[in-house]
Amino acid sequence: EAGVAQSPRYKIIEKRQSVAFWCNPISGHATLYWYQQILGQGPKLLIQFQNNGVVDDSQLPKDRFSAERLKGVDSTLKIQPAKLEDSAVYLCASSLRGWNSPLHFGNGTRLTVT
Amino acid sequence: KNEVEQSPQNLTAQEGEFITINCSYSVGISALHWLQQHPGGGIVSLFMLSSGKKKHGRLIATINIQEKHSSLHITASHPRDSAVYICAVRGGGADGLTFGKGTHLIIQP
């Protein structure tokens, strides 16, 4: 089975610029997650989708971050405008049906904000 | 809120050694995940367990619900096992996963 696909792999932008990340989960997986992982720390959940609805976005900085999963399949995460502290790896994961199903992670997008 | 502690933070061992990584959490859970993260960011799910023991190849994961503790063991370790191993738990009032900071394992040839 194809894994979780993410793009781009790397991105370097200047602060105050905008950036978007794309994720295509494993086919049939209803739940999609975006995580932020800052160097040396564990992943932090930004947003969780169940199909095309948002289940949890309590840790998403909504003044600058947005995410959508319009057709319940692939998803985009956007940062506008970026800050230096947004430098991190952005990981997308999917699972068949929520937290008690095994998670499958993409390779992540490494964002550097200068 | 669940507190997840992993030990050791860093571990360097010789090829062939038996490796143990520990994970403790503060509040009862419904599931515990062990994840492997290689340099470059990719994360692979190794195990998801809620009781007992699971084995996959040279990897063994155990969990003791009463003691709120899990261990990940690697038998006959190999340099390709070098990675960060992350413990994550679900439960304890949080709907999502709470992640440990990871154990950085280096296996030297």
Side-chain angles (χ1 to χ4, degrees):
Chain A
E1 105 190 320
V4 176
Q6 285 190 249
S7 67
R9 191 80 178 86
Y10 303 94
K11 190 73 178 179
I12 301 174
I13 61 172
E14 295 181 352
K15 60 183 179 184
R16 291 187 288 273
Q17 286 187 322
S18 304
V19 65
F21 314 127
W22 175 82
C23 172
N24 192 13
I26 292 174
S27 178
H29 280 198
T31 313
L32 184 147
Y33 317 81
W34 282 104
Y35 289 91
Q36 179 193 59
Q37 186 176 25
I38 293 171
L39 189 64
Q41 299 181 18
K44 181 184 88 170
L45 178 69
L46 293 175
I47 189 166
Q48 177 190 349
F49 291 96
Q50 183 72 18
N51 297 308
N52 62 348
V54 175
V55 173
D56 182 357
D57 63 356
S58 56
Q59 297 191 89
L60 186 74
K62 298 181 186 63
D63 57 335
R64 297 184 301 106
F65 286 63
S66 64
E68 59 184 15
R69 194 186 183 199
L70 291 175
K71 296 182 179 178
V73 180
D74 56 348
S75 175
T76 55
L77 175 70
K78 296 180 182 177
I79 308 175
Q80 180 179 9
K83 293 185 176 182
L84 295 176
E85 58 261 35
D86 299 331
S87 295
V89 175
Y90 290 84
L91 295 160
C92 179
S94 69
S95 65
L96 192 59
R97 49 181 183 281
W99 292 112
N100 285 334
S101 302
L103 294 176
H104 299 261
F105 284 83
N107 286 327
T109 296
R110 183 176 296 276
L111 173 67
T112 302
V113 182
T114 62
Chain B
K1 180 186 171 185
N2 221 334
E3 302 289 336
V4 180
E5 297 288 337
Q6 287 187 237
S7 63
Q9 283 188 299
N10 297 283
L11 177 57
T12 300
Q14 294 299 121
E15 183 173 357
E17 286 189 38
F18 181 81
I19 304 299
T20 296
I21 299 171
N22 297 299
C23 175
S24 297
Y25 48 92
S26 56
V27 184
I29 62 169
S30 59
L32 182 145
H33 298 251
W34 279 105
L35 309 167
Q36 180 192 56
Q37 185 170 31
H38 280 283
I43 294 180
V44 174
S45 178
L46 299 175
F47 296 103
M48 186 185 75
L49 64 165
S50 54
S51 65
K53 175 180 175 179
K54 287 190 176 180
K55 184 177 189 292
H56 185 255
R58 295 181 294 106
L59 301 178
I60 303 166
T62 65
I63 188 167
N64 185 317
I65 298 297
Q66 287 73 30
E67 295 186 2
K68 298 185 178 61
H69 180 268
S70 176
S71 292
L72 176 68
H73 305 285
I74 306 174
T75 61
S77 59
H78 189 276
R80 64 175 173 267
D81 297 327
S82 298
V84 176
Y85 292 84
I86 303 171
C87 169
V89 302
R90 184 195 178 213
D95 192 46
L97 288 180
T98 302
F99 289 80
K101 291 187 176 180
T103 293
H104 190 188
L105 174 67
I106 297 173
I107 303 297
Q108 294 177 335

